[in-house]
């Protein structure tokens, strides 16, 4: 008996649908790209329940000819490729000829379409089968309504996320589509609430539609080209930074792309002006000859491979650096005449200018090649490259690692560990001694308190003698741990109290960030923030956790939002605790702060009951013990 089955098209399509139709956002993407391919200047997207119950995409494009309408739903049916040569030179957005077939096989679809020379037509399909067909009055263009996604594939339905999550994926996609197609007017609403409406009147309008007026005041145009490449769009001023990459858009030959070469070129260009953990703003459009860029590296076509990354990096880096430089030069001239009294500002501008001019010389001639070479090696090599540009390169690598593992402070923590190891090696002067964290020893609170505080070293380390042991306590790290634990305990016991702010605080965010906050809203509230949406892209904070009275709200939320870049999905609690560790660190007494004896005793007695982990929230130990025996050995009193 034969075991091989020839699959029926309806089965085949359900399998193929797995690739094209992962989720509602992928359907929206295919349908909008089809509209744009059909020459539409207006596209409207309406979704309901995150697109799970209904997606409508309508356009004013060419429409589908009556005789093609049913064909369009056949697998591998496309008007975009006729022969093999066409494959080599594809300018349209999608060309697999399987999107409509795949979408129709897992949902209920109604299409109404009209071309310039034909009457309107409609077709209805359910699970890939045509259930109705006929003439129907319609304006020119195409209307697609996709309902009941995965109604016939329950297993796939289970993989759908909550409607709110699916909606947020679609919203992110629409921001990309609007920015990638600034000449198409795109309207988007979710559950009948309008979210975006772009005019189709160019790049500036598209950016305004997504980011609003505050962003417009902080960006500058870029327009540079050579005989092969061109870059257009807007980049942030040297004073305008964001806490995550959701404000960076790179469009290559009309497609939204995520690419590490361009991203590194951007970061490098701003390096002189940028603080750590900051990200420049950009919406840039690159035109690169089709034969020099392979867009089919990734199945969803979000990534590309360049024939010569070095050249592209160099072009983008130089274009941005020079645009920033000329903006700063212009600004200095303006400001020295208008704001002569504002010395601080001028100093900043002129020092930025100095940096920029240093960098300009650096980028001239052979040095730019060297720089670009190293930078690219730095990106592609996992262990990094050590060269005279080492610091710059390690920054890129750190940034990459941090994007992947945001819970770790690679830069500072690794340094701390190195410093600790170094320090350990130094103390061991005569002979290696195991410095050891105490944990059990201090459990006897009374023994500990009855012991004398021998002294304090460098206003940083408290020295305590207990029986035959001596303890060095890092007062900052210890205090940090205590603040952190106190907070975590309150979080665990849900005993957080709020401290109302005299003036409520508002933060402006973009859509991705708004969704991230909404996803974590309950948690933030449990943590003692009185936070609520205040318009669609603004949140109002009326109270903060009372345990952190001096909290810098802006920093906290910037920090919090920086976790959006995380590729590894961390638990929200961890994200918040991580932020709290940093906040606790800022509020803890510093090494060097002058503590009086009462404060020292309070500090010690707080952790003397042994319930506190002997490490600060960053993982540094805060107590180091030496025994009398250790000392005896150092001085060769015993062997
Ligand atoms: P592909 O886009 O790869 O050709 P699709 O399955 O997405 O494959 O679409 C099949 C065909 O249906 C397209 O080639 C096009 O001719 C037609 N089509 C789909 N959507 C539209 C639309 N909005 N306007 C005009 N024609 C469309
Ligand atoms: Mg298509």
């Amino acid at each position: 008996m034969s075991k091989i089955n020839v699959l029926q098209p309806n089965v085949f399509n359900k399998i193929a649908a797995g690739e094209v139709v992962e989720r509602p956002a992928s359907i929206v993407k295919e349908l909008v790209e089809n509209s744009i391919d059909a020459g539409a200047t207006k596209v409207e997207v309406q979704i309901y329940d995150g697109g799970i119950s209904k997606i409508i995409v309508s356009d004013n494009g060419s429409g589908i000819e009556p005789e093609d309408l049913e064909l369009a739903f056949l697998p591998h049916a496309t008007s975009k490729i006729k022969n093999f040569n066409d494959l080599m030179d594809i300018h349209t957005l999608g060309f697999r000829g399987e999107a409509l077939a795949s979408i129709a096989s897992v949902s209920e679809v109604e299409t109404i379409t009209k071309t310039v020379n034909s009457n309107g037509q409609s077709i209805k399909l359910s699970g890939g089968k045509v259930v109705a067909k006929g003439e129907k009055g319609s304006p020119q263009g195409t209307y697609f309504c996709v309902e009941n996604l995965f109604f016939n594939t329950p297993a796939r339905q289970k993989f759908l996320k909550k409607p709110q999550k699916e909606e947020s994926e679609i919203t992110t996609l629409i921001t990309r589509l609007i920015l990638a197609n600034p000449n198409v007017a795109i309207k988007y609403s979710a559950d009948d609430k309008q979210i975006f409406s772009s005019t189709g009147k160019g790049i500036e309008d598209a950016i305004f539609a997504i980011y609003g007026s505050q962003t417009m005041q902080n960006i500058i145009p870029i327009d540079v080209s050579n005989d092969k490449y061109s870059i257009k769009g807007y980049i942030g001023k040297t004073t305008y930074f964001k806490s995550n990459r959701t404000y960076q858009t790179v469009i290559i030959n009309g497609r939204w792309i995520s690419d590490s070469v361009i991203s590194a070129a951007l970061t490098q260009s701003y390096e002189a002006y940028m603080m750590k953990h900051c990200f420049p703003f950009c919406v840039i459009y690159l035109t690169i000859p089709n034969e020099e860029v392979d867009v089919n590296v990734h199945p969803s076509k979000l990534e590309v491979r360049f024939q010569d990354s070095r050249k592209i990096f160099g072009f983008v880096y130089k274009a941005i650096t020079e645009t920033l430089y000329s903006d700063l030069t212009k600004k200095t001239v303006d400001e020295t005449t208008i704001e002569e009294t504002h010395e601080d500002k001028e100093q900043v501008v002129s020092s930025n200018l100095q940096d920029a001019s240093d960098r300009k010389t650096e980028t001239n001639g052979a040095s730019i090649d060297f720089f670009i070479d190293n930078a690219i090696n730095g990106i592609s090599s996992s262990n990094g490259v050590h060269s005279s540009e080492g610091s710059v390169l390690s920054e890129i690598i750190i940034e990459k690692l941090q994007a992947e593992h945001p819970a770790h402070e690679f830069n500072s923590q690794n340094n701390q560990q190195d410093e600790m190891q170094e320090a350990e090696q130094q103390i061991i002067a005569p002979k290696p001694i195991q410095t050891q964290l105490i944990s059990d020893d201090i459990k006897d609170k009374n023994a500990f308190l009855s012991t004398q505080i021998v002294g304090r070293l460098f206003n940083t380390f408290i020295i305590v003698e207990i029986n035959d042991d001596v303890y060095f306590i890092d007062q900052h790290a210890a205090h940090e741990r205590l603040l952190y634990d106190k907070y975590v305990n309150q979080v665990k016991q849900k005993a957080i109290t709020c401290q109302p702010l005299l003036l409520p605080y508002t933060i402006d965010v973009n859509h991705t960030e708004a969704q991230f906050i909404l996803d974590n809203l309950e948690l933030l509230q449990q943590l003692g923030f009185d936070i609520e949406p205040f318009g669609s892209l603004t949140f109002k904070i009326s109270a903060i956790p009372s345990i952190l009275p001096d909290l810098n709200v802006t920093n906290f939320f910037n920090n919090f939002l920086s976790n959006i870049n995380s590729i590894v999905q961390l638990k929200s609690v961890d994200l918040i605790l991580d932020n709290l560790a940093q906040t606790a660190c800022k509020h803890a007494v510093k090494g060097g702060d002058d503590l009086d004896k009462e404060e020292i005793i309070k500090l010690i007695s707080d952790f003397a009951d042994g319930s506190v982990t002997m490490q600060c929230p960053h993982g540094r130990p805060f107590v180091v013990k030496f025994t009398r025996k250790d000392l005896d050995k150092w001085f060769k009193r015993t062997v």
Side-chain angles (χ1 to χ4, degrees):
M1 205 173 80
S2 161
K3 279 190 183 163
I4 296 174
N5 291 315
V6 176
L7 297 178
Q8 294 298 307
N10 62 343
V11 178
F12 167 80
N13 282 339
K14 277 189 201 168
I15 298 169
E19 206 189 305
V20 181
V21 190
E22 258 169 29
R23 53 195 326 154
S26 32
I27 297 182
V28 174
K29 178 171 184 284
E30 295 293 337
L31 294 180
V32 174
E33 287 186 346
N34 276 349
S35 296
I36 292 167
D37 282 348
T41 55
K42 282 187 189 158
V43 180
E44 182 166 1
V45 180
Q46 294 161 274
I47 61 158
Y48 296 87
D49 302 316
I52 298 168
S53 62
K54 200 196 272 194
I55 296 169
I56 297 172
V57 175
S58 47
D59 67 54
N60 66 349
S62 65
I64 305 172
E65 295 294 349
E67 62 271 27
D68 286 343
L69 187 53
E70 203 171 329
L71 284 179
F73 289 94
L74 291 179
H76 309 298
T78 174
S79 56
K80 296 163 195 173
I81 310 170
K82 289 195 189 67
N83 54 43
F84 182 74
N85 285 343
D86 288 352
L87 257 185
M88 298 289 111
D89 192 26
I90 280 287
H91 297 286
T92 55
L93 292 166
F95 53 86
R96 282 166 299 187
E98 64 189 42
L100 293 191
S102 306
I103 294 167
S105 71
V106 291
S107 64
E108 294 175 311
V109 175
E110 179 181 17
T111 304
I112 305 169
T113 184
K114 183 190 173 318
T115 64
V116 66
N117 295 320
S118 65
N119 292 331
Q121 303 287 324
S122 106
I123 189 168
K124 278 189 185 171
L125 296 96
S126 177
K129 290 211 172 74
V130 179
V131 292
K133 222 181 130 179
E135 279 203 8
K136 190 161 189 171
S138 152
Q140 189 192 320
T142 305
Y143 161 100
F144 268 101
C145 176
V146 178
E147 286 181 279
N148 300 328
L149 182 59
F150 298 142
F151 78 98
N152 56 347
T153 51
R156 305 265 314 274
Q157 215 163 22
K158 284 192 203 128
F159 286 100
L160 287 168
K161 296 181 186 159
K162 284 194 190 125
Q164 200 192 30
K165 229 19 222 173
E166 297 292 352
E167 177 186 320
S168 120
E169 297 247 349
I170 297 174
T171 306
T172 303
L173 167 82
I174 299 282
T175 63
R176 293 173 184 174
L177 288 168
I178 287 179
L179 294 172
N181 301 283
N183 298 319
V184 180
I186 299 179
K187 245 194 205 164
Y188 165 59
S189 68
D191 300 318
D192 290 325
K193 210 176 88 201
Q194 180 165 307
I195 296 185
F196 294 126
S197 175
S198 71
T199 60
K201 289 187 185 149
I203 296 173
E204 210 169 324
D205 279 26
I207 297 176
F208 178 75
I210 304 290
Y211 296 115
S213 59
Q214 203 215 354
T215 297
M216 300 313 292
Q217 289 157 18
N218 286 294
I219 57 179
I220 50 175
I222 181 168
D223 189 352
V224 179
S225 51
N226 63 21
D227 52 341
K228 269 192 160 177
Y229 312 128
S230 90
I231 179 170
K232 266 188 200 309
Y234 284 80
I235 56 177
K237 291 181 183 172
T238 52
T239 46
Y240 185 61
F241 291 102
K242 291 294 177 181
S243 60
N244 55 68
R245 265 188 233 285
T246 58
Y247 290 80
Q248 296 181 357
T249 301
V250 177
I251 313 285
I252 300 178
N253 298 350
R255 287 182 173 86
W256 184 95
I257 296 292
S258 153
D259 178 70
S260 59
V261 173
I262 311 284
S263 174
L266 183 77
T267 309
Q268 297 265 308
S269 316
Y270 280 87
E271 222 220 347
Y273 322 103
M274 209 164 54
M275 288 195 303
K276 275 214 178 79
H277 311 307
C278 280
F279 297 86
F281 174 96
C282 80
V283 177
I284 49 179
Y285 301 81
L286 278 159
T287 312
I288 296 168
N290 273 337
E291 63 276 13
E292 285 197 26
V293 50
D294 182 359
V295 284
N296 290 316
V297 176
H298 195 273
S300 58
K301 290 185 281 181
L302 298 180
E303 288 175 8
V304 289
R305 191 186 293 142
F306 300 116
Q307 206 177 53
D308 189 344
S309 317
R310 234 172 118 266
K311 265 197 194 146
I312 307 281
F313 179 98
F315 172 72
V316 175
Y317 174 77
K318 204 157 174 269
I320 296 178
T321 311
E322 288 178 359
T323 304
L324 292 176
Y325 179 77
S326 65
D327 181 61
L328 284 169
T329 324
K330 197 178 88 210
K331 213 191 283 172
T332 314
V333 173
D334 293 349
E335 284 179 17
T336 39
T337 46
I338 302 164
E339 294 183 44
E340 266 167 2
T341 49
H342 290 194
E343 276 175 31
D344 291 354
K345 224 178 189 176
E346 266 180 40
Q347 261 166 20
V348 173
V349 173
S350 63
S351 80
N352 279 351
L353 195 59
Q354 185 56 47
D355 284 342
S357 105
D358 290 349
R359 298 171 68 73
K360 203 171 150 70
T361 9
E362 239 175 65
T363 64
N364 280 340
S367 69
I368 188 167
D369 278 349
F370 171 75
F371 184 76
I372 291 166
D373 259 347
N374 278 333
I376 287 174
N377 290 340
I379 304 159
S380 52
S381 133
S382 54
N383 11 334
V385 176
H386 293 284
S387 69
S388 55
E389 301 284 350
S391 69
V392 173
L393 296 181
S394 56
E395 282 297 317
I396 301 185
I397 294 155
I398 286 165
E399 208 189 293
K400 264 184 85 70
L401 288 171
Q402 243 158 13
E404 282 156 25
H405 311 279
H408 299 280
E409 289 258 340
F410 281 95
N411 197 18
S412 47
Q413 201 154 309
N414 282 354
N415 285 349
Q416 274 168 10
Q417 275 168 9
D418 288 351
E419 277 165 25
M420 273 164 51
Q421 276 168 7
E422 220 172 86
E424 254 175 65
Q425 275 158 18
Q426 278 165 14
I427 325 175
I428 4 179
K431 213 177 169 201
I433 291 167
Q434 279 291 83
T435 56
Q436 167 194 343
L437 295 183
I438 45 167
S439 51
D440 300 330
D441 311 52
I442 326 189
K443 275 189 180 150
D444 182 356
K445 187 172 176 172
N446 292 332
F448 197 51
L449 281 183
S450 64
T451 314
Q452 251 195 302
I453 295 162
V454 180
R456 194 150 47 103
L457 204 55
F458 314 127
N459 274 356
T460 300
F461 304 105
I462 303 164
I463 308 169
V464 179
E465 179 191 334
I466 308 175
N467 302 330
D468 266 354
D469 301 324
V470 56
Y471 298 95
F472 286 73
I473 299 163
D474 178 328
Q475 64 183 30
H476 167 71
H479 194 203
E480 199 181 327
R481 179 82 232 172
L482 291 171
L483 281 182
Y484 180 74
D485 284 359
K486 196 165 149 197
Y487 199 93
V488 171
N489 264 336
Q490 292 193 5
V491 173
K492 281 186 186 149
Q493 290 161 12
K494 302 208 158 95
I496 297 273
T497 52
C498 291
Q499 177 185 297
L501 293 171
L502 274 180
L503 282 176
Y505 201 91
T506 56
I507 46 169
D508 293 323
V509 293
N510 65 25
H511 257 277
T512 319
E513 293 170 332
Q515 188 56 46
F516 187 72
I517 294 179
L518 285 174
D519 287 348
N520 291 287
L521 202 58
E522 214 175 302
L523 244 147
L524 284 166
Q525 283 160 351
Q526 278 171 13
L527 287 168
F529 288 94
D530 182 355
I531 175 168
E532 56 184 352
F534 191 62
S536 68
L537 295 179
T538 307
F539 286 86
K540 188 172 82 179
I541 297 144
S542 321
I544 57 171
S546 44
I547 191 154
L548 300 170
D550 308 319
L551 182 78
N552 181 325
V553 181
T554 314
N555 285 353
F556 179 87
F557 277 92
N558 276 344
N559 241 329
F560 179 65
L561 289 170
S562 68
N563 292 300
I564 285 183
N565 289 332
S566 164
I567 293 168
V568 186
Q569 195 80 45
L570 287 173
K571 273 195 263 151
S572 311
V573 184
D574 293 339
L575 297 181
I576 287 170
L577 293 185
D578 204 50
N579 273 285
L580 289 173
Q582 287 168 30
T583 315
C585 173
K586 278 180 209 124
H587 284 83
V589 294
K590 295 282 174 298
D593 282 357
D594 208 7
L595 285 186
D596 63 26
K597 194 165 177 182
E598 241 169 65
E599 285 173 307
I600 294 174
I601 291 181
K602 168 96 176 62
L603 196 61
I604 294 170
S605 61
D606 270 355
F607 67 75
D609 63 8
S611 61
V612 172
T613 315
M614 294 300 154
Q615 285 179 341
C616 81
H618 294 112
R620 278 198 295 138
F622 66 73
V623 183
V624 171
K625 179 182 88 169
F626 295 99
T627 61
R628 188 184 181 124
K629 257 195 206 149
D630 292 331
L631 271 88
D632 284 344
K633 275 189 199 162
W634 291 357
F635 295 99
K636 310 242 183 271
R637 289 171 151 264
T638 54
V639 258

